[in-house]
């Protein structure tokens, strides 16, 4: 097992990464501080892994809530169902919430934990590649709104992140690949060594080679932990984690939540951001080609949906947490391995990028 630490003074917590971690009772139980425990999962993950968690919780007062599976259920309405269960069970402020699932469950469970009685402890057990390399670490929690992705939420750190790589065996290829988009993101924004490793070893990752997976999960978490430790509330450097996300979120919202997986939308968004970085004079054509080639080698989509027009992107991108005074601000690339802080770009340049791909 590998253990990393997110250093946030009294809010610091460990990330455990390894095989068979769900079998280790002590690893989980030592982070639970009182008898009341609620496990939040969805119908898919619950069917496969709920018992692996429950078997460690003999002697606790345990409640389970299984939400429907899908990004379209990442809403306030479904978070309310978690509050209902907590209140019906008379859970109090010392209760612990365990989020068992992918990024959707992690974000919703974390948000419920942040809000219930103004905050109860929670534990992340991420079960997708995307959740293990990104969403379970760093304390961003929340839900979508019909008008914008992740628009309602809170920064709220977990007690620990328990990433058991064995659970990835039941993940389908489309989900595995979606997670690789966020790994490529780390390479692009600050880790050239990782980017080059991915260029040379993508086929190992796609074959689910366990050493390759362990390498990218650890390296991604290490990158994320360092950024979060430096800037928990995204007043500066943390924004670089949003490379491709403003475009990607517009696609997720514009096409209807769940149509494009988050990682797929981010991959297309990275393509847009790379094109715009070239128009800004930062990336060369060769660098953009390298980025697109890496995304394609992971079998990620790079062509945006034909259904979305330039005006719709602009409209949706106007609702983004990085924007200031109504001005769209984007994370772009100065080079492979170095992202910019949020920049305002000329609308005409942004439109050129959008027009060269979108309808
Ligand atoms: P997801 O949670 O929808 O999971 C993907 C699918 O895989 C679901 O159908 C799920 O039921 C299934 N699944 C999960 N684990 C499985 C397993 N081990 N075996 C079989 N099936 C399994 O999607 P995701 O890609 O994990 O997360 C995407 C979400 O994460 C988005 O809502 C995105 O906004 C959010 N996100 C948050 C952050 C953050 O910092 N909080 C960062 C990145 C993404
Ligand atoms: N996934 C973006 C962040 O955690 O900041």
């Amino acid at each position: 097992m590998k253990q990393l630490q997110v250093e946030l003074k009294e809010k610091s917590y460990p990330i455990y990464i390894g095989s068979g971690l769900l079998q280790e009772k002590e690893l989980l139980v030592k982070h639970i501080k009182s008898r009341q425990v609620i496990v939040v999962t969805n119908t898919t993950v619950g069917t496969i892994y709920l018992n692996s968690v429950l078997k460690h919780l003999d002697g606790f007062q345990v409640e389970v809530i299984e939400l429907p599976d899908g990004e379209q259920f990442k809403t306030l309405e479904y978070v309310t169902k978690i509050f209902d269960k907590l209140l019906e069970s008379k859970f109090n402020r010392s209760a612990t919430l365990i989020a068992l699932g992918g990024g959707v469950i992690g974000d919703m469970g974390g948000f419920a934990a942040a809000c219930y009685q103004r905050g109860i402890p929670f534990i992340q057990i991420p079960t997708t590649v995307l959740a293990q390399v990104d969403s379970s670490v760093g304390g961003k929690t929340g839900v979508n709104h019909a008008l914008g992705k992740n628009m309602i939420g809170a920064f709220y750190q977990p007690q620990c992140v328990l990433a058991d790589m064995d659970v990835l065996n039941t993940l389908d290829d489309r989900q595995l690949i979606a997670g690789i988009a966020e790994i490529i993101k780390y390479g692009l924004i600050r880790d050239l060594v990782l980017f080059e490793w991915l260029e040379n070893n993508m086929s190992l990752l796609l074959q689910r080679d366990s050493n390759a997976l362990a390498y990218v999960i650890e390296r991604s978490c290490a990158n994320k932990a360092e950024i979060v430790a430096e800037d928990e509330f995204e007043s500066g450097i943390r924004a670089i984690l949003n490379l491709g996300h403003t475009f990607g979120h517009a696609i997720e919202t514009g096409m209807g939540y769940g149509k494009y997986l988050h990682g797929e939308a981010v991959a297309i968004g990275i393509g847009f951001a790379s094109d715009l970085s070239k128009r800004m004079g930062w990336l060369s054509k060769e660098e953009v080609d390298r980025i697109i080639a890496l995304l394609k080698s992971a079998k990620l989509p790079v062509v945006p949906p034909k259904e979305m027009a330039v005006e719709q992107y602009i409209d949706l991108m106007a609702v983004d947490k990085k924007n200031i005074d109504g001005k769209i601000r984007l994370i772009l690339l100065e080079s492979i391995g170095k992202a910019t802080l949020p920049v305002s770009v000329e609308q005409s340049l942004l439109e050129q990028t959008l027009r060269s791909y979108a309808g």
Side-chain angles (χ1 to χ4, degrees):
M1 181 183 81
K2 183 96 176 175
Q3 181 174 334
L4 305 173
Q5 185 82 353
V6 182
E7 297 288 358
L8 289 169
K9 302 206 173 88
E10 68 285 353
K11 286 185 285 177
S12 298
Y13 55 94
I15 308 169
Y16 306 113
I17 304 166
S19 281
L21 302 192
L22 271 188
Q23 307 312 318
E24 293 187 31
K25 177 174 177 165
E26 216 18 60
L27 207 53
L28 176 67
V29 166
K30 73 178 177 191
H31 292 285
I32 302 176
K33 303 294 179 221
S34 86
R35 277 193 67 247
Q36 296 179 328
V37 180
I38 181 166
V39 183
V40 179
T41 188
N42 71 22
T43 45
T44 307
V45 179
T47 306
I48 320 175
Y49 297 109
L50 184 58
N51 284 338
S52 308
V53 173
L54 294 184
K55 73 178 183 209
H56 299 318
L57 299 176
D58 268 359
F60 289 88
Q61 180 193 346
V62 183
E63 294 293 337
V64 173
I65 178 156
E66 279 191 324
L67 297 171
D69 183 1
E71 184 76 40
Q72 67 273 34
F73 302 109
K74 189 177 151 182
T75 60
L76 273 181
E77 184 191 347
Y78 282 92
V79 168
T80 300
K81 292 188 187 304
I82 307 176
F83 298 143
D84 294 346
K85 179 67 107 182
L86 285 160
L87 284 163
E88 283 157 17
S89 315
K90 306 215 165 15
F91 272 24
N92 49 44
R93 211 180 232 175
S94 61
T96 297
L97 185 152
I98 298 177
L100 171 69
V104 168
I105 288 296
D107 282 12
M108 291 172 80
F111 185 51
C115 299
Y116 186 67
Q117 299 193 3
R118 302 204 178 89
I120 59 172
F122 90 108
I123 291 172
Q124 287 273 20
I125 306 187
T127 61
T128 61
V129 171
L130 186 136
Q132 294 194 353
V133 302
D134 193 350
S135 63
S136 64
V137 177
K140 277 193 182 174
T141 71
V143 294
N144 302 325
H145 186 282
L147 299 179
K149 172 92 181 141
N150 293 338
M151 279 297 138
I152 321 288
F155 286 100
Y156 193 65
Q157 303 296 339
Q159 302 297 305
C160 73
V161 178
L162 213 157
D164 184 343
M165 289 171 42
D166 289 352
V167 303
L168 303 179
N169 293 330
T170 53
L171 202 60
D172 68 30
D173 282 342
R174 187 176 171 203
Q175 299 291 349
L176 170 92
I177 287 168
I180 294 175
E182 299 281 16
I183 300 169
I184 292 174
K185 172 191 80 179
Y186 290 114
L188 283 168
I189 59 174
R190 74 194 297 265
D191 192 345
L192 181 59
V193 172
L194 175 60
F195 185 89
E196 288 173 345
W197 185 95
L198 289 166
E199 288 187 311
N200 294 324
N201 295 285
M202 188 57 76
S203 59
L204 285 178
L205 263 192
L206 294 176
Q207 289 157 28
R208 300 169 186 246
D209 176 90
S210 54
N211 290 329
L213 272 170
Y215 173 75
V216 293
I217 293 171
E218 284 167 28
R219 192 138 184 143
S220 299
C221 285
N223 271 296
K224 182 132 188 199
E226 274 179 31
I227 293 176
V228 170
E230 202 176 320
D231 179 22
E232 180 183 5
F233 298 112
E234 199 169 306
S235 42
I237 191 73
R238 183 166 181 167
I240 68 173
L241 290 165
N242 288 303
L243 176 71
H245 282 56
T246 310
F247 296 101
H249 286 166
I251 292 171
E252 289 186 82
T253 310
M255 293 301 292
Y257 295 123
K259 184 98 195 289
Y260 278 76
L261 301 180
H262 177 70
E264 294 170 345
V266 165
I268 298 169
I270 288 175
F272 275 131
S274 303
D275 179 89
L276 191 48
S277 303
K278 185 182 73 182
R279 288 174 201 275
M280 295 292 284
W282 295 329
L283 286 188
S284 65
K285 179 179 179 310
E286 290 67 36
E287 285 173 307
V288 176
D289 290 347
R290 244 177 108 185
I291 295 167
I292 299 296
L294 183 61
L295 292 166
K296 282 185 174 168
S297 76
K299 302 189 170 59
L300 281 160
V302 289
V303 179
K306 285 192 279 303
E307 294 87 338
M308 282 181 64
V310 171
E311 299 69 34
Q312 193 182 4
Y313 277 99
I314 302 274
D315 191 43
L316 289 165
M317 289 166 73
V319 182
D320 185 274
K321 295 187 278 317
K322 288 183 299 303
N323 295 349
I324 295 181
D325 291 337
K327 264 205 156 304
I328 295 176
R329 300 193 324 146
L330 296 160
I331 304 301
L332 298 177
L333 291 169
E334 280 174 23
S335 62
I336 292 176
K338 187 160 181 6
T340 66
L341 289 172
V343 282
S344 305
V345 295
E346 291 294 325
Q347 174 118 348
S348 59
L349 222 49
L350 173 60
E351 285 180 9
Q352 278 175 30
T353 282
L354 289 169
R355 210 168 296 117
S356 67
Y357 289 100

